[in-house]
Amino acid sequence: MRLILLGPPGAGKGTQAVRLVERLGIPQLSTGDMLRAAVSAGTPIGLKAKAVMEAGGLVSDDIVIGIVADRIEEADAKRGFILDGFPRTVAQAEALDRMLEAKGLKLDSVVELVVDQDALVHRIVKRAEETAAAGLPVRKDDDPEVFKTRLAAYNRDTAVVSPYYEKTDRLKRIDGMQPIDAVTEAMKAAIGG
Ligand code: ADP
């Protein structure tokens, strides 16, 4: 199964993706995680992406498209994957369509978690507090001010991605304000398994 999770930062894509990985046995491909790994490793991509990520902006399409193109070639992604955090622009969505078409592959589902944006800042503050309390490093962009920039980037560049899939009848919307388990159930129903 090839699946895309859409929704603003803090909508719960990562939480749901982890559950889907367990149930479906296919990998979660999070461009945020891949970029953070590149930053930690100090690779050329990481060096380019670091400042823009810390400021809450979007990394350039060509960089992100390149890492996804490489990642979906890996053995574990052959049976399917869950894309989390990609595509974040229409150009990325178009590039993904071209990549899959060239391989004769199709997307099975695109699911959007619809949330109340006013509630998201609170979620992010909570996530940062819980992470710190657990003694883990807090993401630099999980800061209320930077978060507002991330949300603005979402509204400017990413909100148009779901209509892109809606136009071709590939989109399913789910209420992401429900409790986590209810979202998981709605997700199961939406993707048919
Ligand atoms: P969240 O899920 O909380 O929005 P992510 O971990 O997906 O955060 O992404 C963190 C940061 O990584 C983004 O704010 C952005 O700078 C960069 N990033 C991740 N995915 C993409 C993408 N598809 N296009 C551009 N930038 C991206």
Side-chain angles (χ1 to χ4, degrees), residues 9-10 13 30-33 35-36 52-53 56-59 64 84-88 92 127 139 141 150:
K13 300 185 296 292
S30 157
T31 43
D33 287 348
L35 290 167
R36 278 186 288 277
V52 66
M53 289 176 76
L58 290 187
V59 175
V64 181
D84 162 14
F86 180 94
R88 252 181 168 85
Q92 292 177 15
R127 172 158 100 186
R139 277 169 53 176
D141 60 350
R150 285 161 62 197

Side-chain angles (χ1 to χ4, degrees), residues 10 23-24 39 47 59 65 93 100 111 123 126 131 146 164 181 186 189 193:
R23 206 171 73 242
L24 303 173
V39 170
L47 294 176
V59 175
I65 291 165
L100 294 177
V111 180
R123 279 195 188 180
K126 208 171 130 206
T131 307
V146 178
Y164 173 83
D181 288 345

Side-chain angles (χ1 to χ4, degrees), residues 37-92:
V39 170
S40 303
T43 66
I45 283 178
L47 294 176
K48 279 193 201 154
K50 187 173 192 283
V52 66
M53 289 176 76
E54 287 180 0
L58 290 187
V59 175
S60 70
D61 285 336
D62 53 333
I63 289 184
V64 181
I65 291 165
I67 61 176
V68 170
D70 289 344
R71 183 64 185 85
I72 65 177
E73 289 297 333
E74 287 179 34
D76 65 337
K78 296 281 181 233
R79 287 178 45 228
F81 47 75
I82 303 153
L83 280 169
D84 162 14
F86 180 94
R88 252 181 168 85
T89 63
V90 170
Q92 292 177 15

Side-chain angles (χ1 to χ4, degrees), residues 135-177:
L136 297 168
V138 177
R139 277 169 53 176
K140 282 214 173 88
D141 60 350
D142 271 357
D143 155 279
E145 281 313 307
V146 178
F147 187 76
K148 284 180 197 153
T149 308
R150 285 161 62 197
L151 213 47
Y154 174 83
N155 288 326
R156 189 184 58 237
D157 296 319
T158 311
V160 287
V161 172
S162 52
Y164 173 83
Y165 289 112
E166 197 170 26
K167 267 194 294 192
T168 45
D169 270 341
R170 292 183 285 179
L171 183 73
K172 285 155 189 133
R173 288 197 168 90
I174 287 182
D175 175 6
M177 298 309 291

